[in-house]
Amino acid sequence: MTLPAAATGGASTRLDPLELFLDADIVVQAVMLGLILASIWSWMIIVSFGLRLNGAKRRSAKFESDFWQADDFESVMGLYRKKDVPSVRIAGSAMNEWKRSTAKGLKDREAASGRIANAMAGQIAQEADELAARLNFLATVGSVAPFVGLFGTVWGIMNSFFQIGAQESSSLAVVAPGISEALFATAIGLFAAIPAVIAYNRFSNGVNMFEAKLQRFADKFHANLSRELERL
């Protein structure tokens, strides 16, 4: 049975996010806008970080392949020195320490070997820290956004109850719009938080795996340098 137009009153039968935003209280609007901006910034970090991490992995893999096939390590490093390659900087830190330790004759092989290992370990930690620095924002959004959205929801519901008192009516038609707008704030908070949490967990694991790969490269290079120290 089809209802007459007068019965429906021309009311919308679907949620309109833009209308919910425009009709919301100014505080709820501010919460929504902040969450939307946080979500946009999170997605920018997600895309840029994904490209950066994949690029670092690809360049390091290419360098390491050329590095182990070369007879002269320093010549290969020279070809990659101006490129953004973490493995190059790790090998460079080892070679710099090697040169300082052997410049005036080698006096203590074990001490020199330990300094080389420490130099590479420090560079690995720096590379991992620089990669993971921007992930802090994703962690913050993932943990805080739902609560910010909940604050908007609580404020909106409080405003709806205020409207009940002001209009002296407990009709659902009076409070439903305000409650819908308030709950929309929570939805936006979840919309911002869920991708941020997923991306943070995935990228953190990616950084840890890449750090482990760099450590294996450093261990292998350190073994080569240790053998060279024994010949001196």
mmCIF file with all atom_site columns, all heavy atoms in Angstrom, residues 98 124 140 150 218:
data_model
loop_
_atom_site.group_PDB
_atom_site.id
_atom_site.type_symbol
_atom_site.label_atom_id
_atom_site.label_alt_id
_atom_site.label_comp_id
_atom_site.label_asym_id
_atom_site.label_entity_id
_atom_site.label_seq_id
_atom_site.pdbx_PDB_ins_code
_atom_site.Cartn_x
_atom_site.Cartn_y
_atom_site.Cartn_z
_atom_site.occupancy
_atom_site.B_iso_or_equiv
_atom_site.pdbx_formal_charge
_atom_site.auth_seq_id
_atom_site.auth_comp_id
_atom_site.auth_asym_id
_atom_site.auth_atom_id
_atom_site.pdbx_PDB_model_num
ATOM 1  N N   . TRP A 1 98  ? 86.328 1.676  10.726 1.00 0.00 ? 98  TRP A N   1
ATOM 2  C CA  . TRP A 1 98  ? 87.486 0.868  10.308 1.00 0.00 ? 98  TRP A CA  1
ATOM 3  C C   . TRP A 1 98  ? 88.689 1.763  10.046 1.00 0.00 ? 98  TRP A C   1
ATOM 4  O O   . TRP A 1 98  ? 89.804 1.480  10.503 1.00 0.00 ? 98  TRP A O   1
ATOM 5  C CB  . TRP A 1 98  ? 87.117 0.068  9.059  1.00 0.00 ? 98  TRP A CB  1
ATOM 6  C CG  . TRP A 1 98  ? 88.288 -0.531 8.321  1.00 0.00 ? 98  TRP A CG  1
ATOM 7  C CD1 . TRP A 1 98  ? 89.117 0.115  7.448  1.00 0.00 ? 98  TRP A CD1 1
ATOM 8  C CD2 . TRP A 1 98  ? 88.763 -1.868 8.392  1.00 0.00 ? 98  TRP A CD2 1
ATOM 9  N NE1 . TRP A 1 98  ? 90.075 -0.730 6.968  1.00 0.00 ? 98  TRP A NE1 1
ATOM 10 C CE2 . TRP A 1 98  ? 89.880 -1.960 7.531  1.00 0.00 ? 98  TRP A CE2 1
ATOM 11 C CE3 . TRP A 1 98  ? 88.340 -3.000 9.078  1.00 0.00 ? 98  TRP A CE3 1
ATOM 12 C CZ2 . TRP A 1 98  ? 90.584 -3.135 7.359  1.00 0.00 ? 98  TRP A CZ2 1
ATOM 13 C CZ3 . TRP A 1 98  ? 89.043 -4.180 8.902  1.00 0.00 ? 98  TRP A CZ3 1
ATOM 14 C CH2 . TRP A 1 98  ? 90.148 -4.248 8.049  1.00 0.00 ? 98  TRP A CH2 1
ATOM 15 N N   . ILE A 1 124 ? 71.836 1.474  12.519 1.00 0.00 ? 124 ILE A N   1
ATOM 16 C CA  . ILE A 1 124 ? 70.599 0.711  12.308 1.00 0.00 ? 124 ILE A CA  1
ATOM 17 C C   . ILE A 1 124 ? 69.477 1.282  13.158 1.00 0.00 ? 124 ILE A C   1
ATOM 18 O O   . ILE A 1 124 ? 68.346 1.475  12.685 1.00 0.00 ? 124 ILE A O   1
ATOM 19 C CB  . ILE A 1 124 ? 70.820 -0.780 12.621 1.00 0.00 ? 124 ILE A CB  1
ATOM 20 C CG1 . ILE A 1 124 ? 71.736 -1.417 11.576 1.00 0.00 ? 124 ILE A CG1 1
ATOM 21 C CG2 . ILE A 1 124 ? 69.486 -1.528 12.677 1.00 0.00 ? 124 ILE A CG2 1
ATOM 22 C CD1 . ILE A 1 124 ? 72.157 -2.831 11.919 1.00 0.00 ? 124 ILE A CD1 1
ATOM 23 N N   . THR A 1 140 ? 48.520 7.794  17.731 1.00 0.00 ? 140 THR A N   1
ATOM 24 C CA  . THR A 1 140 ? 47.724 8.762  18.488 1.00 0.00 ? 140 THR A CA  1
ATOM 25 C C   . THR A 1 140 ? 46.288 8.806  17.979 1.00 0.00 ? 140 THR A C   1
ATOM 26 O O   . THR A 1 140 ? 45.326 8.787  18.765 1.00 0.00 ? 140 THR A O   1
ATOM 27 C CB  . THR A 1 140 ? 48.352 10.158 18.401 1.00 0.00 ? 140 THR A CB  1
ATOM 28 O OG1 . THR A 1 140 ? 49.683 10.112 18.929 1.00 0.00 ? 140 THR A OG1 1
ATOM 29 C CG2 . THR A 1 140 ? 47.542 11.167 19.187 1.00 0.00 ? 140 THR A CG2 1
ATOM 30 N N   . LEU A 1 150 ? 33.467 10.085 20.925 1.00 0.00 ? 150 LEU A N   1
ATOM 31 C CA  . LEU A 1 150 ? 32.540 9.835  22.036 1.00 0.00 ? 150 LEU A CA  1
ATOM 32 C C   . LEU A 1 150 ? 32.215 11.125 22.789 1.00 0.00 ? 150 LEU A C   1
ATOM 33 O O   . LEU A 1 150 ? 31.079 11.338 23.224 1.00 0.00 ? 150 LEU A O   1
ATOM 34 C CB  . LEU A 1 150 ? 33.147 8.808  22.991 1.00 0.00 ? 150 LEU A CB  1
ATOM 35 C CG  . LEU A 1 150 ? 32.272 8.379  24.177 1.00 0.00 ? 150 LEU A CG  1
ATOM 36 C CD1 . LEU A 1 150 ? 30.971 7.762  23.688 1.00 0.00 ? 150 LEU A CD1 1
ATOM 37 C CD2 . LEU A 1 150 ? 33.041 7.396  25.064 1.00 0.00 ? 150 LEU A CD2 1
ATOM 38 N N   . ALA A 1 218 ? 74.391 -6.075 8.434  1.00 0.00 ? 218 ALA A N   1
ATOM 39 C CA  . ALA A 1 218 ? 75.476 -5.576 9.272  1.00 0.00 ? 218 ALA A CA  1
ATOM 40 C C   . ALA A 1 218 ? 76.288 -6.730 9.860  1.00 0.00 ? 218 ALA A C   1
ATOM 41 O O   . ALA A 1 218 ? 77.526 -6.662 9.918  1.00 0.00 ? 218 ALA A O   1
ATOM 42 C CB  . ALA A 1 218 ? 74.910 -4.699 10.384 1.00 0.00 ? 218 ALA A CB  1
#
